[in-house]
Amino acid sequence: MHENNFWGQAQSKGFNTGMIVRLGLALAVLAGSVTLAWTLLGSHFARAASSVNTVNTHAHPWSIVFDAQGNAWVAEPNCNPAPVCIAPPTGSIEEFHLVGGLPVVMNTYTPAAGIFNPTSLQLDGAGHVWFTDPTNDAIGELTIATNTWTKFTAGISANAMPFGLALDKTGNLWFAERAQGGTGKIGFFNTGTHAVVETAVTTTTGQPDGMTYSSATNTVWFAEDTAPKIGSFTATTNGIIPTPIAEHTSNANINPPNPHLVTLDKSGNVWYSEQGSDMVGEMNPTTFTTTQFSAAGSICPTPGVTPTPCTNTYIDGISSDSNGTIWFDETQTKVLGSLNPANGAVTLYPLPQAPGDGLTVDPQNNVWVSMQFSQVLGELPAGSAPTPTPGTSPTTTPTLLTGPVYKTWYFAEGRVGGGFNEYLSLDNPTTNACQVTITYLYTPDGQGSLTKTLSVNIGAGTRYEEGVDGDLGTSSHGFGITDSAIVTVDNTVTPACTGIVAE
């Protein structure tokens, strides 16, 4: 987590018994053209069927990694790196395993002297735990057999704030330097010689944060916390990265429009959390096109006769299991969520405390999550989430519709709330960004007619999914609303936009 500490009350869960309502067609004639569209969309919310097992940690937990035996190793900085801590106590590293399906502390490692605040971890398989320590501008090493802690600062810039960490197949480390208020960089650390190489990212103020590595392609991926960018580069043995480092636009439709943490699915697609939003993003690693999945209809707003929108939604940790299911956590409503990329279905699991950055799936598909401020580690047993539909490639970026594109789309006879979810899929297959205006004409049950207008920016070659339930202040388990919508390209803001495809 960072500065956004909005801890709300966990919502009660409802079961969506209805299918997505038909979006009927309304005939309209505009400038001599007729545009018709409708779609049947599947349910995006389900009740959690399993509960999360918990165990107390020695200090405040952060990132989680697994060894060859499937044991969980947890970084415990004992503070809230945002991205550094002010005068923190020393942290620890703990090892957990499952006994009878429940997480149990196996070993606790604390330094005999000095202040260490481990934040992101990697295991080298040779008896060492490597970690970033942004508070001390250091790369740290724990030698497990002797509980020896070593701090390496030589060659690392002052105020570098090392954060995300990846271990490549040659045994070298790559780390993201947040450098808040300075120049963000990618760091290289040779675990044998302890040599450090630093390379500035293309968007120098982007503050690289989450990081992951693909051994299949020898590629390091990173998310920039203060820019809508996902970066990538080929890992080298000497730490020299050709510049400029490649950056790929993630999603500029939200505020802040920035990715946070990043992970890879079994097919090599890149997934990222979008922090101050209700979005999870997917990027094709070849074309760099993106798809956004909204969880708004599930986590916002809280249920009731008068729902209360959660305006500070914070999707934080993200991971993927071997079935292709994407996992995320959300801090405000204290939930762990699974996303089926094949149909956008979301399943939520209540957590006893607010989660943070630490979210990882072990080799057996058990899901582990850190609840940092309460010093609790959670574990959700494998098989808790619905398996993505067989025969579907759930992690392939959906093919963008090629046309025809139009500047105005009409939808009628919609229904949200009262057991229904509704989404607008806005597809921009063109090479220019398109800003569109969505105008809702809607009537809450038992009330008068209302109108709401909002704007959405859709990047070139991007598909964007807009949650209608959240836009109209309800959810699948909230009060019912009958609605229609008009989607219109705003050529004043984006004059080069020739149109989009909407359904």
Side-chain angles (χ1 to χ4, degrees), residues 424-428 436 438 456 458 462-464 487 500-502:
L424 292 174
S425 180
L426 308 177
D427 181 348
N428 179 10
V436 301
I438 303 174
V456 175
I458 312 166
T462 298
R463 173 178 291 173
Y464 180 79
V487 180
I500 65 166
V501 179

Side-chain angles (χ1 to χ4, degrees), residues 25-361:
L25 302 182
L27 292 176
V29 178
L30 179 64
S33 67
V34 178
T35 303
L36 302 176
W38 71 280
T39 187
L40 291 170
L41 299 176
S43 169
H44 280 62
F45 179 77
R47 183 189 299 272
S50 302
S51 60
V52 176
N53 302 312
T54 60
V55 61
N56 292 333
T57 58
H58 180 263
H60 299 85
W62 202 267
S63 67
I64 308 166
V65 296
F66 301 98
D67 61 23
Q69 291 72 44
N71 295 323
W73 291 76
V74 181
E76 299 178 7
N78 208 18
C79 58
N80 177 30
V84 299
C85 303
I86 305 301
T90 194
S92 58
I93 293 173
E94 288 197 284
E95 180 186 9
F96 297 82
H97 63 165
L98 295 177
V99 177
L102 301 176
V104 175
V105 178
M106 193 172 179
N107 290 293
T108 297
Y109 299 89
T110 57
I115 301 296
F116 295 80
N117 302 109
T119 301
S120 297
L121 296 183
Q122 289 294 329
L123 303 172
D124 64 9
H128 306 278
V129 183
W130 297 91
F131 58 90
T132 54
D133 187 337
T135 299
N136 294 296
D137 287 326
I139 296 296
E141 177 190 18
L142 164 63
T143 302
I144 299 171
T146 59
N147 190 32
T148 301
W149 293 64
T150 308
K151 189 181 301 181
F152 301 95
T153 58
I156 300 177
S157 299
N159 301 314
M161 306 174 191
F163 224 86
L165 185 66
L167 180 73
D168 69 23
K169 60 186 178 182
T170 64
N172 292 314
L173 294 170
W174 298 88
F175 55 97
E177 296 186 6
R178 291 288 306 275
Q180 197 172 44
T183 299
K185 298 177 182 178
I186 298 299
F188 166 88
F189 183 85
N190 186 306
T191 55
T193 66
H194 307 152
V196 172
V197 178
E198 295 176 317
T199 306
V201 296
T202 304
T203 303
T204 56
T205 57
Q207 293 190 26
D209 190 343
M211 179 174 281
T212 192
Y213 172 72
S214 169
S215 59
T217 61
N218 193 36
T219 303
V220 178
W221 296 87
F222 61 93
E224 298 187 25
D225 212 53
T226 56
K229 302 291 183 180
I230 299 291
S232 66
F233 60 89
T234 300
T236 61
T237 56
N238 60 5
I240 304 298
I241 308 171
T243 55
I245 299 176
E247 292 180 333
H248 321 288
T249 300
S250 54
N251 177 22
N253 301 312
I254 59 174
N255 185 25
N258 310 325
H260 181 47
L261 301 183
V262 63
T263 192
L264 301 174
D265 67 20
K266 64 178 182 178
S267 299
N269 296 305
V270 183
W271 290 83
Y272 49 96
S273 56
E274 298 193 28
Q275 48 179 335
S277 76
D278 53 34
M279 296 286 182
V280 171
E282 177 192 20
M283 178 174 287
N284 184 297
T286 303
T287 65
F288 309 116
T289 55
T290 61
T291 304
Q292 271 71 48
F293 296 83
S294 173
S298 299
I299 61 178
C300 295
T302 53
V305 177
T306 305
T308 303
C310 43
T311 57
N312 299 308
T313 311
Y314 199 103
I315 292 182
D316 205 339
I318 190 164
S319 190
S320 173
D321 67 24
S322 64
N323 295 319
T325 299
I326 305 303
W327 293 87
F328 64 90
D329 60 37
E330 199 283 315
T331 61
Q332 185 189 22
T333 53
K334 304 177 186 177
V335 294
L336 172 66
S338 68
L339 166 69
N340 181 343
N343 58 16
V346 169
T347 304
L348 299 179
Y349 306 84
L351 295 171
Q353 302 293 336
D357 277 24
L359 174 63
T360 316
V361 181

